[in-house]
Structure formats: C-alpha cells, structure tokens
Amino acid sequence: MNKSKFYKKKQEYFFKIKGEKGQQVSEREIFMINGNALAGAIPILYEKKGAAFQLVYNLTGLTVLKEYLKSPFNKETFAFMIRDILEKYEKLQENVFNQQNVLLDLEHVFVNPATREICYI
C-alpha cells in the first residue's frame, strides 16, 4: 500500500504519494495530466527516488469536497458539480486512464471555490 500524506510548506498545501519499490507509473498519463489534456486533474510533480518514486500535488487554493459540501449552495451549483464529476469521469474512460488510480473519496476530491470546478488526484 502506498504511503500518502497532506502537508504544508510555507503558505502552500501539498499531497504526496510515495510509491513502492518496483511499482511503475504511466508516463503517458502524467504527461497528459501535466499538459492539461485532462480537465480537473491536478498537475503532478513526479520525482524518482532510486527504485521508488513519489508524486506531489499542489493543492493551494483548493477546498476538500467534503468540507465544500458543508457550506450552503443552491440547486444550480449542486447540478453543476454533479455534471462536472460525471463528465470528468467519462473523459477518464475516453482517454484510457486507469480509473483505479484516481482517488474519488470525499477527502481526496477537491473543489476550486472560485470556479466550482471539481479537481482530483
């Protein structure tokens, strides 16, 4: 099981996933995410550490979906968010991404409060 943690550095918030020895990443998927070919995917800083690796995500300016859902919002905002989640999941399938690698629990899905866009790791 990969180790992961949230941390703060200066005024920025990050999420880090440490891969295990022998585990591989899809360079194609990282390239597409970092090239903004997949809307809503948070860009990845990929670092190779010997036989292992780590993935670092900058979450500055984003809010955890679980916390965002506690704030009041109208029906239109709710409908927009549901549609955004479904469209982005469909795009994952269209681009042949391994959906098992996408963290979809409420603690790991994020919202940009300014745009209401759903963002995921």
Side-chain angles (χ1 to χ4, degrees):
M1 177 114 191
N2 293 337
K3 294 181 181 178
S4 63
K5 71 175 185 174
F6 290 95
Y7 67 96
K8 183 178 179 180
K9 188 175 183 180
K10 298 184 181 178
Q11 296 297 326
E12 297 183 311
Y13 293 95
F14 297 91
F15 181 68
K16 180 181 357 183
I17 299 172
K18 289 186 178 184
E20 298 175 350
K21 290 182 181 178
Q23 192 176 22
Q24 295 184 0
V25 297
S26 170
E27 290 183 25
R28 177 189 72 85
E29 290 180 2
I30 291 175
F31 180 78
M32 288 183 70
I33 290 168
N34 288 344
N36 293 322
L38 197 62
I42 300 170
I44 303 167
L45 173 60
Y46 171 71
E47 299 173 350
K48 189 132 174 83
K49 299 267 186 172
F53 64 90
Q54 69 181 16
L55 306 173
V56 180
Y57 300 84
N58 187 334
L59 305 174
T60 305
L62 302 176
T63 302
V64 177
L65 179 59
K66 185 175 184 176
E67 294 302 315
Y68 188 81
L69 292 174
K70 291 179 182 178
S71 63
F73 50 86
N74 58 30
K75 292 178 189 177
E76 291 79 22
T77 299
F78 181 73
F80 174 84
M81 290 173 55
I82 295 297
R83 185 173 51 251
D84 196 33
I85 290 169
L86 295 174
E87 287 174 356
K88 287 178 178 167
Y89 193 75
E90 188 176 290
K91 289 289 181 191
L92 285 172
Q93 293 173 330
E94 288 175 10
N95 287 291
V96 194
F97 269 71
N98 185 349
Q99 292 138 357
Q100 293 177 341
N101 293 336
V102 179
L103 302 180
L104 293 175
D105 56 314
L106 291 176
E107 290 82 21
H108 295 99
V109 176
F110 300 87
V111 178
N112 180 335
T115 64
R116 301 179 311 198
E117 178 184 20
I118 300 296
C119 303
Y120 49 90
I121 296 174

